[in-house]
Amino acid sequence: MSEKSPSSLVRMLMVLDFFTEATPIWSVEDIAQKLEVSIPTCYRYMKMLVESGWLTHQSESCYTFGPRILVMDYYVRQSDPVLRASVPLMQELVAKTGFECVLSAFYGDRVLDSHHEKSNGKTFLSYGRGMPRPLFQGGAPKVILAHLPNRQLRKIYDAHPEELKQSGIPEDWDGFRAYYQGIKKRRFYYSAGELESHLGALSVPIEKQGQPGVWGAMSLVAELSRFEVVDLHKMKEMLEGATRSISHNLV
């Protein structure tokens, strides 16, 4: 028996997943081809998405994201309990250290930054709110993946073989799992130039009290030269103090 075809609503919502940093603009013809629907049907989908604000016209037959995305992002910022609990403590860390502080979380099968608290320095982070991180590089993704259940970690391992090859992490499952178990045991990860050659990041998990898993990760980020002259253990203690407070507030 063949799988049931997606409903019209599902197909229409699938369109939103087509828009990425690499392909921010789509034509009706390309969307219709990807959805395997007729051009008239595709125009009907586009009309509904434009009227609801999810998409907007880039030209007569080309589309990009619309203003409703910005509205929803605002609502997320106001309602996200992790973000609300974290920002004041992130501001304190920035004031004490002069480093930048980054909040990251796992959404679907990607790690995203949800907030950057900037310092007066010139760190120049290339990753911003909502931009997917490489899964296997950098402090925050490694700390978060280290706390996933083995079943979920195995699913990510199976789904991203090409990305794994470029990471330097063991490519066999036993080695891959052991690598992340080591990070979980240490309860932190220091990334030295993994994402950007001039930057370091010290990351710790925001643990869920009384249950497995983590809410996300918090990182202090600065140029490598600055990490060379600070007490890494002391920085880790400061981060852990902040994340314990966040975890307590989320109970």
Side-chain angles (χ1 to χ4, degrees):
M1 182 181 294
S2 61
E3 292 186 3
K4 186 178 180 180
S5 298
S7 66
S8 294
L9 177 60
V10 170
R11 286 183 185 275
M12 183 173 66
L13 294 177
M14 285 169 59
V15 171
L16 299 177
D17 286 332
F18 298 166
F19 294 84
T20 66
E21 184 180 18
T23 56
I25 300 171
W26 281 77
S27 69
V28 169
E29 291 78 10
D30 289 338
I31 292 173
Q33 183 178 13
K34 195 170 179 66
L35 287 177
E36 298 181 347
V37 299
S38 68
I39 295 293
T41 295
C42 191
Y43 267 114
R44 187 170 73 252
Y45 293 165
M46 295 301 100
K47 182 175 184 293
M48 295 173 70
L49 289 169
V50 168
E51 288 177 349
S52 60
W54 291 110
L55 297 181
T56 189
H57 288 283
Q58 182 70 20
S59 63
E60 185 175 347
S61 61
C62 290
Y63 300 82
T64 191
F65 274 136
R68 192 170 183 85
I69 300 296
L70 298 175
V71 175
M72 297 306 295
D73 181 67
Y74 171 77
Y75 290 156
V76 169
R77 288 174 184 266
Q78 298 303 308
S79 62
D80 184 345
V82 180
L83 185 61
R84 294 176 67 179
S86 300
V87 170
L89 293 164
M90 295 172 72
Q91 291 171 341
E92 288 182 18
L93 284 170
V94 170
K96 289 178 180 178
T97 66
F99 287 20
E100 295 198 8
C101 194
V102 181
L103 181 67
S104 309
F106 193 65
Y107 299 97
D109 67 344
R110 284 290 170 186
V111 174
L112 306 178
D113 292 344
S114 56
H115 185 69
H116 282 193
E117 195 64 41
K118 297 185 177 182
S119 68
N120 293 326
K122 297 180 179 180
T123 303
F124 297 122
L125 286 170
S126 63
Y127 288 86
R129 175 176 168 83
M131 181 178 178
R133 293 277 210 102
L135 267 176
F136 307 123
Q137 292 177 288
K142 289 185 177 181
V143 163
I144 292 171
L145 264 60
H147 287 79
L148 294 180
N150 275 339
R151 184 174 172 182
Q152 192 175 4
L153 188 63
R154 180 62 194 245
K155 187 176 180 181
I156 291 171
Y157 169 85
D158 290 337
H160 302 274
E162 293 304 317
E163 197 169 347
L164 178 59
K165 286 180 182 178
Q166 303 170 16
S167 68
I169 297 174
E171 294 181 36
D172 63 289
W173 166 242
D174 289 338
F176 180 86
R177 181 175 57 179
Y179 178 85
Y180 282 102
Q181 286 174 340
I183 295 174
K184 183 177 182 180
K185 186 176 181 179
R186 292 193 298 273
R187 301 173 62 85
F188 80 99
Y189 186 85
Y190 173 58
S191 166
E194 288 187 22
L195 286 180
E196 299 174 74
S197 60
H198 66 297
L199 296 181
L202 179 64
S203 305
V204 302
I206 304 173
E207 298 182 355
K208 294 181 177 180
Q209 290 192 4
Q211 55 182 307
V214 294
W215 295 107
M218 185 176 287
S219 308
L220 285 172
V221 183
E223 293 190 357
L224 289 174
S225 59
R226 298 188 65 191
F227 271 106
E228 292 172 358
V229 296
V230 299
D231 184 337
L232 206 62
H233 180 71
K234 181 64 175 178
M235 302 287 280
K236 174 176 171 286
E237 286 184 339
M238 293 173 68
L239 266 175
E240 288 177 332
T243 57
R244 279 195 299 270
S245 295
I246 295 166
S247 296
H248 178 76
N249 290 334
L250 291 171
V251 173

